[in-house]
Amino acid sequence: MEVIFLFLLMIIIGALIGGMTNSLAIKMLFRPYSPKYIGKWRVSFTPGLIPKRRKELAEQLGHLVVTHLLTPEGIQGKINDPFFKEEMTKWAQDETSKLLRTEQSISGFMIEKFERNPREWAEQTTHDFIKESIGKFFEENRYKKIKDVAPLEVLKRGDDLAPLIGEWVTKRGAQYFSSQEGKDQLHVLLEKFFAGKGSMFNFLGTMFGNDKIVAKLQPEIVKFFKDPASKRFIEQLIYKEWDQLKELPVSKVETWIDKEKSAGKVTEWVVQKVPVYDWLDAPLNEWVMQYEEKVLYEGVPYMVTEAQSFLASRLSGFLQRLNLAEVIRLQVEAFSVQRLESMVLTISRREFKMITYLGALLGGFVGFIQGIIVTFFA
């Protein structure tokens, strides 16, 4: 009876020692959370293993994640995965479709979010850009000749216009002086001419009569305008003036131009001709819906593909600059040990219990062996 009692006692003591030792070892992974002191002497094994090695653990965990988990190759593989691309395209199309169907305007959205009117900003930016461009052009070309800075198309167009202007002037001149209006104008010119030439010319005008003079003068003037020589004369005159204009320095043209007014006029023309400015104030669903199919099924897939290529090609450098190892280290160091313990125990409570039970089982087995040794070999 004593032998059985001894066996049971040693098994129980061994089991208790084994179980308590394993349970204590598990708790010492986290506890105590901070060092304990007796006077100035720090108690051994305090703080627990994880709080004590938190810095080393944070560094190793950051290195592990960057080296083996969040690697550029792994992320690139995910980005380039066809299924991922398909999912991202579908998500982008859904979000874009919601945006295109909204009744809010771009101006309304910008005013609401940023308290700034984008149309006013766009018009002012256009005006400033045009004014700055005009000023920059004159600053860079002030001492050059017009022919040296004007586009070849403009110069050629000017050369081509001389015959057209000559033909227009002669044709319109002949038509005008053949009309009653032209005849009346000749009367007025003659009266002014005779009025300023003294009594002798007035006498001649009275003697011959303005009507007779106009009747004789009108056909000659019309004939002058219809004469090919007159056309050539006007063309040569225009060519001469055009050549002289091309030889002028740009600084001369600068004196003719008010940069502020010119920028304002050009800005007004741009705002009237370019519909983008009106789109800013109109609800999106009024002017974007006509482009919906093109945007959703051409633009969005293209943008997703370009975004994937951009990210994949620059991911390595981005991750390097992001320095994930340092980010993870700081996060782990700032993480509460109590919370970490709670998370680990929540996940592995059953396994820790099994480790405690296994310690008790091994302790009991050791107690059983000791009982045999004590009974038979003591």
Side-chain angles (χ1 to χ4, degrees):
M1 189 67 181
E2 292 180 1
V3 174
I4 296 174
F5 178 76
L6 178 63
F7 266 88
L8 291 175
L9 181 61
M10 298 192 75
I11 289 172
I12 292 171
I13 292 174
L16 289 174
I17 292 173
M20 292 178 64
T21 301
N22 280 14
S23 178
L24 180 63
I26 292 172
K27 291 183 180 298
M28 287 180 67
L29 289 173
F30 301 95
R31 300 186 185 185
Y33 302 130
S34 58
K36 304 298 180 182
Y37 292 90
I38 299 177
K40 295 184 179 180
W41 177 71
R42 183 174 65 84
V43 179
S44 301
F45 305 110
T46 64
L49 177 62
I50 290 179
K52 185 176 182 180
R53 300 292 183 182
R54 178 190 291 188
K55 184 175 181 180
E56 294 88 338
L57 177 64
E59 291 178 354
Q60 290 299 321
L61 185 59
H63 179 72
L64 173 66
V65 170
V66 172
T67 306
H68 300 288
L69 299 179
L70 290 178
T71 62
E73 294 77 13
I75 299 177
Q76 285 175 348
K78 180 63 177 178
I79 291 176
N80 293 324
D81 181 51
F83 180 75
F84 175 76
K85 179 180 178 180
E86 182 180 345
E87 289 295 312
M88 286 300 299
T89 301
K90 186 177 183 303
W91 173 82
Q93 287 174 332
D94 291 340
E95 294 300 316
T96 304
S97 179
K98 293 178 184 178
L99 178 64
L100 297 181
R101 295 175 184 275
T102 182
E103 295 184 356
Q104 191 175 32
S105 66
I106 295 177
S107 292
F109 175 81
M110 295 293 289
I111 293 173
E112 179 183 333
K113 297 295 183 182
F114 306 103
E115 298 182 353
R116 187 171 187 179
N117 191 318
R119 172 152 188 166
E120 293 179 358
W121 173 84
E123 292 183 6
Q124 185 62 45
T125 302
T126 303
H127 177 275
D128 294 343
F129 173 77
I130 293 172
K131 182 179 178 181
E132 182 182 349
S133 299
I134 294 174
K136 186 176 181 181
F137 171 80
F138 283 117
E139 183 179 348
E140 294 177 350
N141 303 284
R142 185 169 291 128
Y143 303 106
K144 297 179 181 179
K145 295 180 179 180
I146 293 177
K147 68 178 183 179
D148 295 329
V149 298
L152 293 177
E153 293 80 3
V154 174
L155 296 177
K156 186 177 183 303
R157 183 61 177 166
D159 294 336
D160 294 340
L161 280 176
L164 298 177
I165 295 175
E167 183 178 357
W168 181 85
V169 169
T170 54
K171 184 177 180 180
R172 292 293 297 171
Q175 290 177 350
Y176 178 77
F177 285 105
S178 297
S179 66
Q180 184 61 42
E181 183 181 357
K183 186 176 181 179
D184 294 340
Q185 186 63 32
L186 286 176
H187 273 285
V188 174
L189 292 175
L190 278 175
E191 289 175 358
K192 288 184 178 180
F193 175 77
F194 288 131
K197 298 301 180 179
S199 58
M200 178 61 68
F201 280 93
N202 285 333
F203 171 75
L204 291 174
T206 304
M207 184 176 63
F208 290 104
N210 288 347
D211 290 340
K212 292 181 179 180
I213 296 175
V214 169
K216 294 289 184 179
L217 188 60
Q218 185 181 22
E220 295 300 323
I221 294 176
V222 173
K223 183 179 178 181
F224 167 80
F225 279 107
K226 290 183 177 182
D227 189 349
S230 299
K231 179 182 176 183
R232 289 193 296 271
F233 168 75
I234 294 174
E235 288 179 8
Q236 291 172 358
L237 184 62
I238 294 173
Y239 275 126
K240 183 179 179 181
E241 293 298 322
W242 174 238
D243 290 336
Q244 290 178 351
L245 179 63
K246 290 190 289 185
E247 293 295 327
L248 290 176
V250 175
S251 58
K252 184 67 175 179
V253 180
E254 186 177 10
T255 62
W256 303 340
I257 296 177
D258 185 322
K259 299 183 182 67
E260 182 67 31
K261 289 184 178 179
S262 299
K265 292 296 183 181
V266 175
T267 302
E268 289 179 8
W269 182 84
V270 171
V271 171
Q272 292 175 358
K273 296 299 181 180
V274 179
V276 172
Y277 297 90
D278 293 330
W279 291 350
L280 293 173
D281 291 332
L284 283 175
N285 59 8
E286 286 187 5
W287 60 272
V288 178
M289 291 304 294
Q290 56 184 316
Y291 307 108
E292 181 180 24
E293 186 172 343
K294 192 175 185 65
V295 170
L296 292 180
Y297 300 105
E298 294 183 24
V300 171
Y302 174 78
M303 293 300 296
V304 170
T305 301
E306 289 298 311
Q308 282 184 303
S309 300
F310 178 84
L311 288 175
S313 62
R314 291 165 176 80
L315 187 61
S316 180
F318 174 75
L319 292 178
Q320 185 177 359
R321 288 174 175 78
L322 188 59
N323 197 1
L324 280 177
E326 180 66 13
V327 174
I328 294 171
R329 183 186 70 79
L330 294 174
Q331 290 295 319
V332 173
E333 286 186 358
F335 203 77
S336 169
V337 178
Q338 294 92 325
R339 187 179 177 188
L340 178 61
E341 179 187 21
S342 176
M343 289 174 58
V344 173
L345 291 178
T346 300
I347 297 172
S348 306
R349 188 180 302 277
R350 181 178 180 183
E351 286 73 14
F352 284 155
K353 284 184 179 180
M354 293 303 297
I355 292 173
T356 302
Y357 295 154
L358 179 61
L361 179 63
L362 292 175
F365 180 72
V366 171
F368 177 75
I369 297 299
Q370 288 177 336
I372 293 176
I373 294 173
V374 170
T375 301
F376 296 100
F377 298 99

